Amino acid sequence: MQDLAFVLAGFFVGSIVGLTGVGGGSLMTPILIFFFGVKPYMAVGTDLLFAAFTKMGGTVKLARSRHIDWPVVLNLSAGSIPAALITLYVLHQLGATSTTVQHIMTTTLGFALLLTAAATLYKAIRGKSGPTNIAAGHEAAATRPRHWSLPLLFGALIGTLVTLTSVGAGAIGVTVLMLLYPLLPLPRIVAADIAYAVPLTLVAGMGHASLGSVDWPMLAKLLAGSLPGIWLGSHLMFKTPERVIRSLLSLLLAYAGLKLIAL
């Protein structure tokens, strides 16, 4: 029965990821901790690889439909990947299972969820006012950030947060992209965010695997549900109104964040 519960949880989170670009860590990690009783360090490590493989499936579909702006993905990755490697080195030195690191993880995860909730609510309120398409001849301008250093800086912050908590590459990443690339339509921002999260969560997840922080059988069950889930969600992304979904999701994330801070 628990095996089926893992598959259903994966399908639910995968569908939300495909539909909104949010949910990889911000939903799955609290679900693993609160509903399945998984230790925080194991939940974070397993969820990072869950997010990598789940969003990989969505990335392939979006790449085939030419919705991904790869310069945007590369700009953020240039800041996030080095930051993830540095964070992994620190975790190796401290030990992922130590009481201090566990407390840092749960507390940081709680605040990350609150930040994600705020970002999700912001996008729900403001998202519809963005551009709906790129004017002919303005493709290069749409993929140029407000300043060249900002993607590196925000990418580094997100890379550190994701490696420590598995949260940040979804709603926070989408909100950052909205601010840095105001000319990009929302569906292309979500597409770039999903694609950008793949190398980041893969690097961070493999680093956690080297620490013994990945439950491989549990990961397989989650992926069995999430891969068809994100396929369905990514197909519905351009057809389904998101505002109500995102508003409810922000409340759920805020509740989970407060519970984690109180642990």
Side-chain angles (χ1 to χ4, degrees):
M1 184 62 70
Q2 189 180 51
D3 291 350
L4 178 60
F6 280 128
V7 173
L8 292 176
F11 180 82
F12 168 71
V13 174
S15 300
I16 298 297
V17 170
L19 181 63
T20 67
V22 180
S26 53
L27 279 179
M28 184 54 75
T29 301
I31 286 174
L32 291 177
I33 292 173
F34 292 126
F35 288 94
F36 295 104
V38 178
K39 294 291 185 182
Y41 74 93
M42 192 67 73
V44 169
T46 303
D47 182 62
L48 282 166
L49 287 182
F50 165 79
F53 290 115
T54 297
K55 293 192 175 185
M56 195 179 296
T59 299
V60 170
K61 187 263 179 186
L62 291 168
R64 286 177 176 173
S65 61
R66 300 184 182 276
H67 283 108
I68 298 175
D69 295 286
W70 293 107
V72 176
V73 175
L74 293 175
N75 285 342
L76 284 173
S77 297
S80 65
I81 301 299
L85 293 173
I86 293 171
T87 306
L88 286 169
Y89 174 78
V90 173
L91 289 177
H92 270 278
Q93 297 301 307
L94 296 177
T97 60
S98 73
T99 304
T100 301
V101 171
Q102 289 289 283
H103 179 68
I104 291 173
M105 277 187 171
T106 54
T107 303
T108 307
L109 176 58
F111 282 109
L113 288 175
L114 291 176
L115 184 58
T116 301
T120 303
L121 185 60
Y122 168 79
K123 185 172 180 290
I125 295 172
R126 183 188 176 278
K128 300 300 182 182
S129 64
T132 56
N133 54 63
I134 301 176
H138 290 75
E139 290 81 2
T143 57
R144 190 180 304 124
R146 291 181 182 273
H147 191 275
W148 67 267
S149 65
L150 292 177
L152 295 176
L153 174 61
F154 281 102
L157 292 174
I158 293 173
T160 301
L161 190 62
V162 167
T163 306
L164 192 58
T165 69
S166 78
V167 175
I172 297 174
V174 167
T175 303
V176 166
L177 288 172
M178 288 174 64
L179 295 174
L180 298 185
Y181 299 91
L183 298 180
L184 272 184
L186 183 58
R188 294 180 75 131
I189 284 177
V190 173
D193 181 72
I194 291 174
Y196 144 74
V198 173
L200 171 57
T201 52
L202 188 59
V203 167
M206 293 308 296
H208 275 267
S210 70
L211 291 168
S213 303
V214 174
D215 185 326
W216 295 99
M218 180 173 66
L219 174 63
K221 296 163 193 170
L222 295 173
L223 288 174
S226 74
L227 294 179
I230 196 169
W231 181 88
L232 176 64
S234 61
H235 275 76
L236 296 175
M237 179 174 66
F238 301 97
K239 304 174 183 178
T240 307
E242 300 177 23
R243 186 166 296 184
V244 174
I245 295 175
R246 288 184 176 276
S247 298
L248 294 174
L249 186 58
S250 67
L251 295 176
L252 177 63
L253 296 177
Y255 173 74
L258 291 172
K259 284 199 68 174
L260 280 165
I261 292 172
L263 284 179

